Amino acid sequence: MVVGTENMEAVPEDKGGEILKPRTDKREYRRIVLKNSLEVLLISDPETDKCAASMNVSVGSFSDPKGLDGLAHFLEHMLFYASEKYPEEDSYSKYISEHGGRTNASTSREKTTYHFDINTDSFDEALDRFAQFFIKPLMSADATMREINAVDSEYQKNLLLDSRRLDQLKKHLSREDHPYHKFSTGNMKTLHVWPQAKGVDTRSELIKFYDKHYSTSIMHLVVYAKENLDKTQGLVEKMFQEIRNTNKMIPIFPGQPCIPDHLQVLVKAVPIKQGHKLTVSWPVTPSIRHYEEAPGSYLGHLIGHQGEGSLFHTLKTLGWATGLHAGEAYLTMEYSFFDVSVDLTDAGHEHMQDILGLLFRHITHLQQSGVSQWIFDELSAICEAKFHYQAKRDPFSYAKSISTNMKIYPTKHWLVGSSLPSKFNPAIVQKVLNELSPSNVRIFWRSKKFEGQTDKTEPWYNTAYSVENITEFTIQEWVQSAPDVRLHLPVPNVFIPTDFSLKEVKDTFLEQNIFPVLLRKTSFSRLWYKPDTKFLIPKAYAKIDFNCPLANTSPDALVLSNIFVWLLVDCLKEYGYYARAAGLNYGLSLSSNGLELYIAGFNHKLRILLDAIMQKIAKFEVKPDRFAVIKETITKGYQNIKFQQPYEQAMSYCSKVLQDHTWPWTEQQDAHTHLEAEDLVNFVPMLLSRTFVECYIAGNVEKNEAESMVKHIEDVLFNDPKPISRPIFPSQTMTNRVVKLGTGMKYFYHQEGSNPSDENSALVHYIQVHQDENAMNGKLQLFRLIAKQATFHQLRTVEQLGYITSLSQSNHSGVYGVQFIIQSSVKGPGHIDSRVESLLKDLESKLHKISDEEFMSNVTALIDMKLEKHKNLNEESSFYWREIKNGTLKFNRKDEEVAALRELKKEELIDFFDEYIKIDAPNKKSMSIYVYGRKHLEEMASDKDKVTSPFIEIEDIVGFRKSQPLYGSLKGWNQLKL
């Protein structure tokens, strides 16, 4: 809404009432409108360690000019470069990176969002740099072609992603005169080749687009600051009032993307990856128009439910599906789609008509039975509890989410959006429910089995597909011939919390101790405990690691352990779905030494869920039909490993070289192929026969409750007359050890990319430095902070090697290093590696010339980053659990590393670089992993020929690893005393 005149000061006008915020939220909020009509939400959080800002511009790819697909996305890229006030290229990103922050931006159909966060003491300048994008950006001619290359590299990266391919196929099969039909990413052809052929200058069109659309009248800004609201308001008024207001209205795109020609169709498409997926889609009235009545949430809850009697439970029991999701997608104020997506088994693929018949029968039943008040009330109660007791989020994502809400909702609901259903209106829900009809449907069916059976190709991602018309009569026949099974509504959810009281910490020692304490230790288990005295919300966090020495002794053991975990998850789905719906999340996963359970959320019913999971473990049975389904699913997972992005493959090879006791996925796949249900029946008792249980329990849980939970776990596993488990022997303590690369050595590993269709190549240039030690950790992290933006600027911005370009710190079981990661479709890994070497020479010069002021600025930024407080219980618990899991137990790690940084001298950092990082450093240990895409495969032989003494070529990863010395393990928990 446009408010204000040239002579008005910003006013805290309130449009729509007081802002509704969670009961536990202590932050202050203020809506203001600047004299240029920019609508702003100010947030004051005196406790924050990071400040943030997000600008949402209500224009996106729907506004791309004809013949310039991707222009809005391209503009999003270009604004990051420079401004008239700050003309140095990439100086915005450089400033924020060097002061502990991050930046990002995204373009969607009807909006473009720019956001950043930064250490609090650097916020003012960062905000000014940010504001200049919207006042006087440069968008230089020199940068234009380079950033078109970056957009094209992003497009190339996404070419083989099935999610992108299906999304574009849906758009392709819609009205050509509706903007939904467009190709929104853009690439070299749409932004350079085709415009140039028509005599169109892309940069001129870019500037026209910016001038036409970027107006305060369609912008919404969120500023998240540490200072009080008045001071922040003054800052915002000063910095943002120069943004132009052309009084442009928010673009509206009326009409539906799909006309009858695009409905009642069955689209068969060939995916990249193995697996079958069925997506049933209906154009519906957008729920956003009725967000308090929440028809989309209500229907998604019922159709997507996974409890007993649900559609998913029926399909799972029949062996036809492994997953189901229902809900609205691609919604705008003008149109929306309601999608039901089903992950099919091979048998489910053969029963597609029966599955659709059951789906439409279920929908018909819901239409006839009416909208239920108690189900809506239950959904409302769950959402209310989640909103009012939500964990505090990082300012970066929080500011972004609110800025996008500001366009859609009245001021009162900027924070809550559509997440709080509050008005029961059966007619509105019934209207959307009735739109889920056979006459209104689009069915997308993906499977590799359709290869050679299609007759069309989508032009942007080259997806092969075919289209058939499906009549209402045909669907009715499927309904009548589907299996005669009884579907019913969910039962009342017993996991909905009703007790939100906070537990009192009565033990003075526990209350004063800011770190986890070892509360209990037996030969069976160990309990770390940390009551919540900081976040003060009724939630808890439990992590339980079942250390089973047999879990990873061979590829066969690892695969069987994995199937065991999958089957546990499978048998918990129906019961556990209620817990998840009520805000009590859980997960079971395979760990490096057994299986790991986590439960996090409202503490009220947490113990009930834990007991149920322990019973499933204790009473585990191998059901042959479920074993077959899970084995099939995992088989497809192994087959799809080859479709990983090349940089992911390179990172995986790097980990396999370094991490002891890991098995090649090809061996795992071979083992998996030959295993049967009987093998698992015999294996699970052996797996659990020797176990040690490591526990961490934190949050709104009393000391005796935590002890009782662990005692119960012990009773289930160890204290039966015929116990499932016995304590592990001291010699069976599981350790994770890492290969110690040779000092002064350089290793190479060359490998063809696993997907022959992928043109992208990748490099991981890894430098191993040291084992966990405070002073060395600080030096390594400081080098990375100084070098990170320089790496991105040189290799991505200047040399345009690839969209994926990063410098990151690596941590393999406490062995630290750095790794340069680059994926490219324009250059092979050998050339990229030579550019990294050249960059290292530039970094050497940069470090040797660094001023005292710049050095101290970076040290201060790193210290601020380390002293950043945990924002919520999950974040804090993850940090402490990592220390427990790794065996380092440095709960005060941040303080110790900060103390070391405060003593660090510039000369010591330079000496560190000269000794471990620079070209030919005396103690350097490095390894380059080359993965070759189709475009550069012919370079592999000549690259390998260049590896001559003293360089070492790794021919066989496992053989190399076994021939190398290992770092000692950091784990020593068995010696800990209470």
Side-chain angles (χ1 to χ4, degrees):
M1 183 175 81
V2 178
V3 179
T5 68
E6 281 301 307
N7 298 318
M8 281 181 63
E9 292 300 315
V11 292
E13 177 196 348
D14 199 0
K15 177 194 66 175
E18 184 180 351
I19 295 173
L20 177 65
K21 67 178 189 176
R23 297 181 192 122
T24 52
D25 189 352
K26 298 176 183 176
R27 293 166 292 202
E28 293 185 321
Y29 299 85
R30 178 186 294 170
R31 173 188 178 268
I32 62 171
V33 181
L34 303 188
K35 65 181 183 181
N36 60 357
S37 298
L38 178 63
E39 194 169 23
V40 186
L41 178 66
L42 309 175
I43 304 174
S44 173
D45 180 3
E47 297 178 356
T48 191
D49 298 303
K50 281 280 199 293
C51 294
S54 177
M55 180 75 87
N56 185 77
V57 187
S58 295
V59 64
S61 61
F62 274 12
S63 298
D64 285 343
K66 189 173 183 180
L68 279 165
D69 283 7
L71 192 68
H73 179 215
F74 178 45
L75 174 58
E76 171 228 302
H77 277 241
M78 286 294 289
L79 278 192
F80 271 107
Y81 264 88
S83 62
E84 191 172 291
K85 184 174 181 180
Y86 299 99
E88 182 187 349
E89 197 172 86
D90 263 354
S91 60
Y92 163 73
S93 300
K94 179 176 184 288
Y95 181 83
I96 287 178
S97 176
E98 290 177 352
H99 293 86
R102 53 187 165 154
T103 70
N104 207 348
S106 60
T107 305
S108 58
R109 293 170 172 84
E110 295 184 280
K111 66 178 184 288
T112 307
T113 310
Y114 305 84
H115 54 132
F116 76 92
D117 71 359
I118 197 164
N119 292 341
T120 56
D121 59 357
S122 306
F123 184 52
D124 290 12
E125 182 173 335
L127 193 64
D128 189 42
R129 289 174 177 272
F130 182 70
Q132 292 304 312
F133 292 158
F134 311 102
I135 298 171
K136 287 188 177 178
L138 283 186
M139 296 187 279
S140 68
D142 178 56
T144 300
M145 197 62 224
R146 281 187 275 132
E147 208 54 34
I148 288 175
N149 283 328
V151 171
D152 190 66
S153 180
E154 185 177 355
Y155 165 69
Q156 297 290 337
K157 172 184 74 73
N158 296 330
L159 268 176
L160 301 178
L161 297 180
D162 281 324
S163 58
R164 293 275 186 156
R165 294 164 70 87
L166 179 64
D167 182 33
Q168 191 62 45
L169 180 58
K170 287 179 176 179
K171 291 157 68 172
H172 181 64
L173 298 174
S174 67
R175 280 172 47 196
E176 292 187 19
D177 61 345
H178 193 284
Y180 176 75
H181 185 82
K182 291 181 177 181
F183 168 56
S184 58
T185 302
N187 61 14
M188 182 62 70
K189 288 180 179 177
T190 67
L191 294 172
H192 177 64
V193 177
W194 293 346
Q196 188 181 53
K198 296 176 184 176
V200 174
D201 180 67
T202 301
R203 180 171 175 267
S204 297
E205 293 300 317
L206 184 77
I207 294 169
K208 284 182 194 173
F209 186 91
Y210 176 85
D211 289 341
K212 178 180 179 181
H213 293 290
Y214 274 53
S215 165
T216 57
S217 55
I218 65 166
M219 292 178 178
H220 296 88
L221 174 67
V222 173
V223 177
Y224 190 114
K226 190 179 184 73
E227 302 291 349
N228 63 53
L229 292 173
D230 290 339
K231 186 168 183 179
T232 304
Q233 179 170 333
L235 198 66
V236 169
E237 289 172 353
K238 175 184 174 185
M239 292 180 179
F240 289 88
Q241 64 185 359
E242 292 181 38
I243 303 175
R244 292 177 316 131
N245 177 17
T246 64
N247 291 316
K248 178 180 175 58
M249 303 299 289
I250 291 176
I252 296 174
F253 304 93
Q256 291 294 314
C258 298
I259 56 177
D261 288 352
H262 308 118
L263 303 175
Q264 291 185 268
V265 292
L266 171 63
V267 181
K268 296 178 180 178
V270 181
I272 297 297
K273 291 186 175 183
Q274 292 290 338
H276 322 286
K277 195 176 187 86
L278 191 63
T279 301
V280 188
S281 184
W282 297 266
V284 295
T285 302
S287 283
I288 203 75
R289 297 179 188 170
H290 308 287
Y291 64 93
E292 292 179 283
E293 293 84 359
S297 298
Y298 179 93
L299 296 176
H301 174 65
L302 289 186
I303 298 172
H305 207 280
Q306 297 188 1
E308 289 192 9
S310 67
L311 174 63
F312 170 74
H313 173 68
T314 299
L315 298 179
K316 176 189 163 185
T317 303
L318 291 166
W320 294 349
T322 57
L324 186 149
H325 175 77
E328 265 186 289
Y330 314 115
L331 70 166
T332 74
M333 292 297 287
E334 300 298 321
Y335 75 88
S336 180
F337 294 97
F338 189 92
D339 288 0
V340 178
S341 294
V342 187
D343 297 312
L344 305 175
T345 62
D346 289 346
H349 178 76
E350 301 302 322
H351 286 272
M352 180 277 291
Q353 296 178 3
D354 289 328
I355 292 169
L356 287 173
L358 287 170
L359 170 61
F360 278 98
R361 184 188 297 168
H362 184 45
I363 290 170
T364 300
H365 173 69
L366 293 176
Q367 290 168 340
Q368 293 172 349
S369 58
V371 182
S372 171
Q373 171 99 44
W374 78 264
I375 291 176
F376 181 87
D377 290 345
E378 186 178 88
L379 185 64
S380 180
I382 291 170
C383 292
E384 185 174 2
K386 287 180 179 179
F387 174 70
H388 284 295
Y389 299 102
Q390 62 183 277
K392 193 174 184 180
R393 293 167 61 186
D394 63 275
F396 184 73
S397 60
Y398 190 58
K400 181 189 177 185
S401 68
I402 297 173
S403 70
T404 59
N405 282 351
M406 289 169 71
K407 168 192 173 183
I408 303 168
Y409 304 100
T411 307
K412 179 181 180 181
H413 293 146
W414 278 354
L415 307 188
V416 67
S418 57
S419 66
L420 202 56
S422 57
K423 295 180 179 177
F424 180 63
N425 189 321
I428 288 175
V429 179
Q430 190 72 43
K431 180 179 186 297
V432 177
L433 180 54
N434 290 341
E435 290 171 342
L436 309 184
S437 70
S439 63
N440 199 35
V441 74
R442 286 155 48 101
I443 302 166
F444 294 86
W445 188 11
R446 286 185 286 169
S447 175
K448 283 284 209 183
K449 291 193 174 184
F450 296 140
E451 283 183 328
Q453 301 177 25
T454 59
D455 58 355
K456 295 178 176 63
T457 303
E458 188 280 318
W460 297 111
Y461 290 84
N462 296 316
T463 303
Y465 73 98
S466 63
V467 181
E468 302 172 23
N469 292 319
I470 301 293
T471 66
E472 291 183 65
F473 177 75
T474 300
I475 290 176
Q476 195 54 45
E477 284 187 324
W478 294 348
V479 170
Q480 292 170 357
S481 63
D484 185 15
V485 292
R486 182 174 174 269
L487 303 176
H488 60 77
L489 296 177
V491 298
N493 191 338
V494 298
F495 284 103
I496 296 177
T498 55
D499 181 0
F500 302 106
S501 61
L502 299 180
K503 308 291 175 72
E504 184 181 351
V505 181
K506 298 173 183 176
D507 188 312
T508 305
F509 171 74
L510 290 173
E511 187 176 18
Q512 294 176 350
N513 199 314
I514 62 172
F515 300 124
V517 296
L518 182 58
L519 193 60
R520 185 176 187 273
K521 184 176 186 292
T522 69
S523 60
F524 309 122
S525 70
R526 189 168 67 164
L527 168 61
W528 297 91
Y529 171 63
K530 187 180 185 305
D532 176 25
T533 57
K534 187 190 330 185
F535 306 111
L536 305 179
I537 57 174
K539 293 185 178 182
Y541 182 102
K543 197 87 166 192
I544 299 152
D545 193 20
F546 300 88
N547 292 268
C548 305
L550 291 180
N552 194 24
T553 53
S554 68
D556 287 311
L558 179 63
V559 168
L560 284 165
S561 299
N562 190 38
I563 297 175
F564 171 52
V565 171
W566 273 72
L567 283 169
L568 279 174
V569 171
D570 185 66
C571 70
L572 280 163
K573 271 190 175 177
E574 287 81 357
Y575 183 78
Y577 183 83
Y578 285 95
R580 284 203 176 116
L584 188 53
N585 294 313
Y586 73 96
L588 271 162
S589 59
L590 190 66
S591 67
S592 59
N593 52 4
L595 58 145
E596 198 169 274
L597 166 68
Y598 90 91
I599 307 177
F602 291 108
N603 60 274
H604 185 200
K605 309 289 180 73
L606 186 147
R607 177 62 188 269
I608 298 171
L609 180 60
L610 174 63
D611 290 358
I613 293 172
M614 287 309 303
Q615 282 304 307
K616 291 291 186 184
I617 294 173
K619 307 290 185 186
F620 178 77
E621 293 181 19
V622 180
K623 297 178 179 177
D625 59 330
R626 297 314 301 163
F627 177 90
V629 167
I630 295 303
K631 182 179 178 183
E632 176 193 307
T633 303
I634 296 174
T635 297
K636 289 171 185 168
Y638 282 123
Q639 293 168 344
N640 288 331
I641 287 176
K642 71 177 184 179
F643 298 113
Q644 285 181 329
Q645 294 268 357
Y647 82 92
E648 294 173 321
Q649 297 173 41
M651 291 174 68
S652 176
Y653 290 132
C654 186
S655 292
K656 287 288 189 291
V657 170
L658 296 172
Q659 202 78 50
D660 189 36
H661 227 62
T662 54
W663 312 105
W665 71 267
T666 50
E667 293 183 6
Q668 295 178 46
Q669 184 180 31
D670 184 60
H672 181 81
T673 302
H674 298 97
L675 293 175
E676 301 297 339
E678 190 62 31
D679 297 311
L680 188 63
V681 171
N682 296 328
F683 175 76
V684 171
M686 288 194 300
L687 173 71
L688 297 176
S689 65
R690 295 283 178 183
T691 308
F692 184 83
V693 186
E694 183 90 76
C695 306
Y696 174 84
I697 298 176
N700 194 39
V701 179
E702 292 178 345
K703 173 183 172 182
N704 64 325
E705 289 179 294
E707 291 177 313
S708 173
M709 288 184 205
V710 177
K711 182 67 170 62
H712 176 71
I713 293 170
E714 286 189 357
D715 287 343
V716 170
L717 294 178
F718 300 100
N719 293 336
D720 194 78
K722 291 184 179 179
I724 297 167
S725 305
R726 288 179 290 170
I728 65 174
F729 294 114
S731 60
Q732 291 181 297
T733 300
M734 303 297 290
T735 59
N736 299 316
R737 301 183 65 188
V738 176
V739 166
K740 193 172 190 176
L741 298 178
T743 301
M745 304 299 292
K746 168 81 175 180
Y747 302 87
F748 291 87
Y749 181 72
H750 301 79
Q751 185 60 255
E752 180 180 349
S754 54
N755 180 5
S757 300
D758 199 331
E759 294 188 346
N760 292 283
S761 295
L763 166 79
V764 169
H765 183 109
Y766 168 77
I767 302 172
Q768 188 178 77
V769 181
H770 70 286
Q771 194 168 31
D772 189 24
E773 191 273 325
N774 294 330
M776 289 289 284
N777 294 350
K779 292 173 188 175
L780 184 68
Q781 291 159 10
L782 186 59
F783 161 72
R784 187 250 177 183
L785 178 64
I786 293 170
K788 177 186 173 186
Q789 186 58 31
T791 298
F792 184 86
H793 175 72
Q794 181 61 35
L795 300 183
R796 184 190 184 277
T797 304
V798 177
E799 300 188 29
Q800 291 289 300
L801 291 178
Y803 181 77
I804 296 173
T805 300
S806 70
L807 169 61
S808 60
Q809 179 183 299
S810 65
N811 179 0
H812 294 91
S813 301
V815 176
Y816 289 82
V818 289
Q819 50 191 15
F820 297 85
I821 302 168
I822 300 101
Q823 179 169 297
S824 178
S825 61
V826 296
K827 294 293 182 182
H831 174 85
I832 300 170
D833 204 16
S834 72
R835 301 314 302 151
V836 171
E837 300 265 326
S838 176
L839 172 70
L840 285 169
K841 292 176 183 174
D842 293 341
L843 292 173
E844 179 181 356
S845 175
K846 177 182 173 70
L847 272 178
H848 279 264
K849 293 177 182 176
I850 194 169
S851 67
D852 292 342
E853 182 183 3
E854 187 179 355
F855 171 77
M856 283 310 302
S857 173
N858 280 281
V859 170
T860 301
L862 183 57
I863 288 173
D864 288 345
M865 292 163 69
K866 285 188 170 296
L867 292 179
E868 187 176 340
K869 297 183 291 290
H870 297 124
K871 287 171 285 299
N872 54 62
L873 179 64
N874 282 14
E875 192 178 291
E876 178 189 76
S877 298
S878 295
F879 173 81
Y880 290 133
W881 177 250
R882 208 158 39 242
E883 294 294 330
I884 294 166
K885 179 81 172 170
N886 292 341
T888 45
L889 303 179
K890 288 186 180 179
F891 298 137
N892 62 339
R893 173 182 294 278
K894 292 184 177 183
D895 294 333
E896 289 183 353
E897 291 182 352
V898 165
L901 278 168
R902 292 193 197 280
E903 299 296 320
L904 182 65
K905 296 179 175 58
K906 182 176 75 171
E907 293 73 24
E908 292 176 299
L909 176 66
I910 295 170
D911 290 344
F912 166 82
F913 177 84
D914 289 347
E915 185 174 353
Y916 296 100
I917 306 290
K918 79 170 188 176
I919 304 293
D920 298 326
N923 287 318
K924 187 168 184 177
K925 299 174 283 187
S926 69
M927 176 172 61
S928 290
I929 309 289
Y930 292 8
V931 172
Y932 294 84
R934 183 179 65 184
K935 235 182 191 181
H936 312 113
L937 187 56
E938 61 187 25
E939 300 171 16
M940 186 163 77
S942 61
D943 285 346
K944 289 183 78 170
D945 288 342
K946 294 173 187 174
V947 182
T948 56
S949 182
F951 300 149
I952 295 175
E953 173 73 24
I954 300 172
E955 299 285 357
D956 169 38
I957 287 179
V958 176
F960 171 80
R961 195 174 66 212
K962 287 185 175 180
S963 70
Q964 300 301 303
L966 304 174
Y967 281 97
S969 172
L970 293 171
K971 225 170 186 180
W973 56 260
N974 219 30
Q975 286 71 47
L976 271 179
K977 305 295 181 187
L978 271 170

